[in-house]
Amino acid sequence: MTNDATPGRIVVDAGSLAHPTFTALPPLALYIHIPWCLKKCPYCDFNSHEVHGEAPEAKYVDALLADLEFALPSIWGRKVVSVFMGGGTPSLFSAAAIDRLLGGVRARVPLLPDAEITLEANPGTFERQKFADFYAAGVNRLSLGVQSFDPAQLKALGRVHDADEAKRAAEAALIIFGNVNIDLMYGLPRQSVVEARADLAAALAFAPPHLSFYHLTLEPNTLFHRYPPPLPDDDTAADIEDAVHATLDAAGYQHYETSAYAKPGRQCAHNANYWRFGDYLGIGAGAHSKLSFADRIVRQLRWKQPKQYLEQVAHARPLQEEVEVARGDVGFEFMLNALRLTAGVPTALFAERTGYALSLVAGGIDAATRRGLLEPDPTRLAPTELGRRFLNDLQALFLNTPMSAPARTRNAPEVAPLVRIEATGIER
Ligand SMILES: C[S@@+](CC[C@H](N)C(=O)[O-])C[C@H]1O[C@@H](n2cnc3c(N)ncnc32)[C@H](O)[C@@H]1O
Ligand code: SF4
């Protein structure tokens, strides 16, 4: 608290309060996690499980809708700006199940009329009629996990589909949905710059409005971590990034976020909401939520194992954990997200989305600007070119406790190294 010039009048500085104060709550997105896949890929540490026989889709859709009902008191009166069905492989579910799910969502929460509704799909589950039925059910954006169009790489990555299936799925997705993202990974086993360029050219032949490019990372608890494949060295990976960036730039794509490229006006609204520190309700196994209330921000985690999730929802207990975001963490969490955006965010967004004054992160801003990692523009919080190259170092300056010797990242993986953001629907 500080005293201003008027005697007896106390002015409250939001930055000195132990709790945030919101004048308006952030936009709210809905994430729905579907945790099954045809086969577990050897590099993947998502909450995804190989399906044995049929996925229990009817039971799971019932549980998701029960879970949503349980969450309603936390989001009363709020409109949902986007829906993202992520996984796992949501396209494993029948179109009838997705139709029932979206119908159930609409009956329980108000969706904005132009809400972006994305479904993640694996080309191994592609059927033209099924894609058309997903569209008829209300899905208006498809995110296709292709990873590579190179037949040898698809084998090395243990994918269930071949290059032709990936091409057929991409072609049909563009005709049916128009609004399509293709996920590609680079830095693949033994990949050269020439091969990575060829992969990109294969993707560009479809001219998708959105492309996600992820540097393959060896995640703990994956087969690739235990038996690492021969990956290209850092210099080759950096050369691939530069080649990808230049090619996509020339093709009219904007590199708007660390791993995301879009044609003008085609950025992913759902992910943009995460990066601008919007709110999200995550339902389904292992889903994460971040919800703001007038005087607090909470994070929730739902039961991770699908079987356990189904059992707990049946007992009206979908939450495994709920914690209030501490004042000491919120500045870092905001910057961790916002600094992934090439253009950054308006400075005023910090107070609007965290409920605290900018003074909470003044030390970090000062240090980052002095090191040339943050633009010196007081109206924006935006990384410089150097800041984007050393994103981990930049983000670490906003930690409460300084991190020792942060590693260099040219293109940080979608999951930031310090905080796991899983099952939130980020196309990573
Ligand atoms: C949940 S998957 C959704 C797509 C769908 N399940 C599929 O793979 O076809 C999201 C994306 O994360 C990326 N991904 C998964 N594991 C990764 C890793 N270890 N390193 C980099 N990207 C990874 C892949 O590009 C994948 O498409
Ligand atoms: S990459 Fe996609 S298909 Fe493969 S295991 Fe992970 S979620 Fe499933």
Side-chain angles (χ1 to χ4, degrees):
M1 286 193 189
T2 55
N3 286 318
D4 77 353
T6 320
R9 189 171 153 221
I10 294 187
V11 176
V12 175
D13 168 9
S16 70
L17 287 174
H19 294 285
T21 43
F22 287 99
T23 42
L25 295 180
L28 175 69
L30 175 65
Y31 174 70
I32 303 175
H33 193 71
I34 299 186
W36 292 283
C37 296
L38 284 171
K39 181 172 165 269
K40 182 79 182 174
C41 302
Y43 54 84
C44 176
D45 78 331
F46 278 82
N47 184 24
S48 57
H49 307 266
E50 191 162 322
V51 70
H52 299 290
E54 295 277 302
E57 61 173 37
K59 238 166 114 180
Y60 195 71
V61 170
D62 288 344
L64 287 170
L65 295 176
D67 187 354
L68 180 58
E69 262 173 33
F70 170 85
L72 287 181
S74 323
I75 55 163
W76 277 138
R78 298 179 69 180
K79 288 210 163 76
V80 168
V81 299
S82 61
V83 179
F84 194 106
M85 288 166 275
T89 303
S91 59
L92 199 63
F93 273 22
S94 67
I98 297 298
D99 186 43
R100 186 161 76 86
L101 174 60
L102 285 177
V105 167
R106 282 206 170 81
R108 287 162 180 82
V109 290
L111 295 193
L112 285 187
D114 60 348
E116 178 189 272
I117 302 179
T118 303
L119 180 115
E120 275 186 339
N122 179 312
T125 62
F126 166 64
E127 286 164 42
R128 196 172 300 274
Q129 189 55 47
K130 196 176 187 187
F131 274 21
D133 292 344
F134 284 147
Y135 184 73
V139 175
N140 54 28
R141 183 172 182 272
L142 199 84
S143 179
L144 197 61
V146 169
Q147 321 312 343
S148 174
F149 286 99
D150 179 334
Q153 286 295 2
L154 289 172
K155 276 213 175 79
L157 292 171
R159 297 289 292 178
V160 289
H161 57 87
D162 61 20
D164 284 342
E165 271 173 310
K167 287 177 182 167
R168 279 201 300 276
E171 193 183 28
L174 277 147
I175 292 168
I176 294 166
F177 297 90
N179 203 7
V180 172
N181 167 60
I182 294 184
D183 277 348
L184 288 182
M185 297 194 298
Y186 68 92
L188 304 179
R190 295 195 171 86
Q191 191 178 41
S192 67
V193 179
V194 173
E195 285 165 358
R197 274 184 194 280
D199 232 0
L200 180 56
L204 284 179
F206 299 100
H210 196 285
L211 275 163
S212 301
F213 262 94
Y214 303 116
H215 192 170
L216 174 65
T217 48
L218 298 182
E219 302 291 343
N221 304 318
T222 62
L223 215 61
F224 269 17
H225 195 262
R226 194 176 321 156
Y227 307 106
L231 297 181
D233 59 30
D234 286 354
D235 285 344
T236 308
D239 289 346
I240 293 175
E241 270 170 41
D242 291 343
V244 163
H245 184 71
T247 308
L248 288 175
D249 192 43
Y253 288 83
Q254 296 165 340
H255 185 193
Y256 72 100
E257 187 270 344
T258 308
S259 308
Y261 294 80
K263 287 276 176 73
R266 297 304 199 104
Q267 299 186 358
C268 175
H270 186 83
N271 287 347
N273 187 53
Y274 293 133
W275 296 319
R276 296 194 163 89
F277 212 56
D279 275 2
Y280 48 93
L281 170 67
I283 59 172
H288 292 240
S289 307
K290 181 216 135 204
L291 295 170
S292 307
F293 299 86
D295 61 352
R296 67 191 198 285
I297 304 174
V298 300
R299 290 199 178 273
Q300 298 174 339
L301 172 65
R302 276 149 169 83
W303 298 96
K304 192 168 176 186
Q305 293 301 322
K307 188 167 169 279
Q308 193 184 24
Y309 171 77
L310 287 168
E311 284 164 9
Q312 294 291 341
V313 172
H315 291 98
R317 289 192 299 258
L319 295 193
Q320 181 181 347
E321 198 180 294
E322 178 171 280
V323 289
E324 198 170 325
V325 179
R327 178 177 181 273
D329 295 335
V330 75
F332 171 67
E333 291 192 12
F334 178 92
M335 298 307 271
L336 187 71
N337 285 284
L339 294 175
R340 296 183 63 92
L341 291 167
T342 309
V345 293
T347 305
L349 200 73
F350 183 86
E352 211 178 297
R353 296 288 158 87
T354 65
Y356 292 100
L358 190 67
S359 52
L360 198 63
V361 284
I365 291 177
D366 186 45
T369 311
R370 273 191 286 109
R371 289 180 202 191
L373 299 172
L374 199 67
E375 293 288 356
D377 178 355
T379 68
R380 295 202 70 77
L381 295 167
T384 58
E385 164 78 42
L386 191 69
R388 289 203 297 278
R389 270 182 186 259
F390 294 89
L391 185 61
N392 288 353
D393 305 36
L394 170 57
Q395 289 165 330
L397 291 173
F398 294 91
L399 269 172
N400 250 350
T401 42
M403 200 172 90
S404 57
R408 175 186 179 211
T409 20
R410 287 180 52 104
N411 184 358
E414 187 77 38
V415 172
L418 303 164
V419 169
R420 297 286 310 158
I421 303 173
E422 200 188 329
T424 58
I426 286 183
E427 286 158 350
R428 79 155 190 154

